[in-house]
Amino acid sequence: MSHHTARAPRALIAEDEPILAAALAHALQRLWPELDIVATCPNGVEALRQGLALQPDILFLDIKMPGKTGLETAEELAEQWPDGIAFPHIVFVTAYDEYALAAFEHAAADYVLKPVNDTRLGKTVERLQQRLRDSGNGTTTATPAAAPAATTAPMAATETTASASDDNMARLLSQLQAMLPPAPRLQMIRAAVGNSVRMIALADVVYFEALDKYINVVCQDSEALIRTSLKELLPQLDPQQFWQIHRGTIVNASAIATAVRDEAGKLSLTLRQHPAQLRVSPLYAHLFRQM
């Protein structure tokens, strides 16, 4: 039993394989007895619901889950997270091979490789404890059993916790996107309009907007639907020219006029030759910081 007055840190586990979820929970109890596991969720949809309801300090998210992947769950949590409350520290649970995991080594979030390994998990536990201390959220920490020294530098104390977590998630998402195999670059968008196919030059696209199983291709004076997803489209676009600003929006950077923050701190874009205002997710706010 802890003799600290501060509350114990709280964690949520999202893993669709019950045996692996139980193994991770038991390993965490061994390495970090004070950690309170407040929920174990079998899929990303439930993890999103419970994460928002319970607001834990740490999320262990399986990358590949039914309903929503761990990445999609983390992104949607970041978009819906209440203002003024620190966003949880993220640990991805993954079966990726060691080569792919190189992208995680310098990432802001951490990872745990399946099957769970106490040595690797011990490093993760120590890093999490350091981050909780640095963010000053008043949780208690205990030294993990046989944990190697932490290798992650603490966050600068001058950063706000929320801003730091948004930056961390943004860096992680960009690193994970870089892990995806490159796709051939699109030159033209081919959109069905009645009995014809309309050819749309990428330079004419103001933004792409996800609509259920379609994407709305918005140009200066017209719109067209294509049957694909933003996830499939994004790797085919030049990342210098087309920026994802929300899980449902990709904008042509040259079409952006201003980035405006409202009284609640929410960021939105105005466009040069289009009346739409586009909301920016906190994950992508770093794109619009002044130089």
Side-chain angles (χ1 to χ4, degrees), residues 57-90:
D57 304 299
I58 302 161
L59 297 169
F60 291 88
L61 300 176
D62 185 8
I63 283 189
K64 293 185 177 178
M65 289 186 290
K68 292 183 192 300
T69 68
L71 297 175
E72 289 166 341
T73 302
E75 190 171 356
E76 290 188 40
L77 274 168
E79 288 172 6
Q80 298 179 42
W81 200 254
D83 292 334
I85 295 176
F87 190 72
H89 300 274
I90 302 282

Side-chain angles (χ1 to χ4, degrees), residues 10-268:
R10 301 158 70 247
L12 178 149
I13 295 173
E15 166 61 68
D16 63 319
E17 299 178 59
I19 293 174
L20 290 176
L24 176 57
H26 290 148
L28 285 168
Q29 285 165 0
R30 282 197 307 276
L31 295 168
W32 196 352
E34 289 181 327
L35 183 67
D36 182 10
I37 299 171
V38 293
T40 302
C41 304
N43 55 60
V45 175
E46 183 68 9
L48 177 63
R49 189 181 71 78
Q50 293 268 41
L52 289 170
L54 298 171
Q55 297 174 1
D57 304 299
I58 302 161
L59 297 169
F60 291 88
L61 300 176
D62 185 8
I63 283 189
K64 293 185 177 178
M65 289 186 290
K68 292 183 192 300
T69 68
L71 297 175
E72 289 166 341
T73 302
E75 190 171 356
E76 290 188 40
L77 274 168
E79 288 172 6
Q80 298 179 42
W81 200 254
D83 292 334
I85 295 176
F87 190 72
H89 300 274
I90 302 282
V91 180
F92 287 110
V93 183
T94 175
Y96 282 170
D97 61 31
E98 292 293 343
Y99 174 78
L101 286 170
F104 279 96
E105 291 299 345
H106 303 290
D110 216 318
Y111 72 92
V112 173
L113 193 62
K114 299 178 187 180
V116 176
N117 173 292
D118 272 18
T119 302
R120 170 68 217 180
L121 187 58
K123 288 182 182 180
T124 298
V125 163
E126 191 158 287
R127 277 198 273 252
L128 288 167
Q129 292 176 337
Q130 184 63 51
R131 285 173 178 159
L132 289 173
R133 283 192 292 269
D134 293 337
S135 59
N137 64 351
T139 57
T140 63
T141 56
T143 303
T151 57
T152 301
M155 290 180 205
T158 53
E159 289 184 278
T160 66
T161 306
S163 171
S165 3
D166 290 344
D167 286 352
N168 288 347
M169 281 298 300
R171 280 200 300 272
L172 182 74
L173 285 173
S174 65
Q175 284 170 316
L176 290 170
Q177 285 168 356
M179 286 166 56
L180 299 173
R185 289 273 186 262
L186 272 181
Q187 303 300 321
M188 301 285 289
I189 298 291
R190 298 182 298 278
V193 180
N195 294 326
S196 61
V197 174
R198 181 178 163 206
M199 306 297 287
I200 304 171
L202 280 179
D204 293 337
V205 176
V206 177
Y207 64 95
F208 297 99
E209 176 185 34
L211 296 174
D212 196 17
K213 295 179 181 177
Y214 292 85
I215 292 175
N216 191 24
V217 183
V218 180
C219 301
Q220 184 180 335
D221 52 9
S222 64
E223 299 182 6
L225 291 177
I226 55 175
R227 191 179 176 87
T228 187
S229 67
L230 284 189
K231 191 185 298 185
E232 293 169 323
L233 177 67
L234 188 59
Q236 301 177 69
L237 300 173
D238 179 354
Q240 301 299 316
Q241 186 63 38
F242 287 93
W243 298 354
Q244 183 162 20
I245 59 166
H246 186 277
R247 64 188 169 90
T249 315
I250 298 170
V251 66
N252 187 336
S254 62
I256 299 169
T258 60
V260 182
R261 200 174 288 279
D262 66 16
E263 293 175 359
K266 305 287 187 187
L267 198 63
S268 61

